Amino acid sequence: MAGLAVTPGETIHVPDSGYTIGGGYEVLVLYATPDRITLKYTPDDHVIWGYTLHVENICVEPRLLALYQSWNDAGRGRLPALRAGQAFGRARSDEIGVVIRDRGAFMDPRSRKDWWQGR
């Protein structure tokens, strides 16, 4: 896991990858709690293939969290989806934790060349 510097209360957005899961959406919410979220860059409800992003130490947007919990409790027939750049939470402190997976394997999130652009 990499710690990324943020401003407490800063809005955290879906990183734009150029991928789509259909309907103009970029990611599927695979998991959410009040302080962490897992986003998947394919429409599949697993991490077997495709990119998966885990983000911790955030306040997940309450309406998104409620929607995830409702659909999860109903059997996961559907899961919330988000668009590139859409806000999904706010930083709890001056650092968020980020983990990236591809096909289930953990990647090195420190690689700016592959993952992050400066702000």
Side-chain angles (χ1 to χ4, degrees):
M1 176 175 291
L4 304 179
V6 292
T7 302
E10 179 178 340
T11 304
I12 309 300
H13 302 264
V14 173
D16 186 1
S17 69
Y19 293 105
T20 179
I21 62 171
Y25 293 97
E26 180 114 3
V27 297
L28 194 65
V29 177
L30 288 189
Y31 179 76
T33 67
D35 63 352
R36 66 179 48 143
I37 195 165
T38 299
L39 305 173
K40 178 73 184 305
Y41 284 86
T42 74
D44 307 301
D45 186 7
H46 57 68
V47 298
I48 297 170
W49 58 75
Y51 293 115
T52 305
L53 183 66
H54 304 273
V55 183
E56 297 191 1
N57 199 27
I58 63 168
C59 295
V60 173
E61 200 286 322
R63 291 172 297 174
L64 176 60
L65 179 60
L67 182 62
Y68 168 79
Q69 290 171 333
S70 172
W71 288 356
N72 184 61
D73 292 346
R76 296 178 72 89
R78 333 178 17 175
L79 291 170
L82 301 171
R83 300 179 190 284
Q86 187 171 350
F88 60 84
R90 294 190 176 274
R92 288 185 175 273
S93 67
D94 61 355
E95 182 178 88
I96 62 171
V98 177
V99 173
I100 300 168
R101 297 175 133 187
D102 185 13
R103 297 187 199 159
F106 290 101
M107 308 293 287
D108 187 347
R110 297 171 296 177
S111 177
R112 273 186 76 124
K113 174 184 169 280
D114 297 328
W115 298 109
W116 312 110
Q117 296 179 14
R119 39 176 179 163

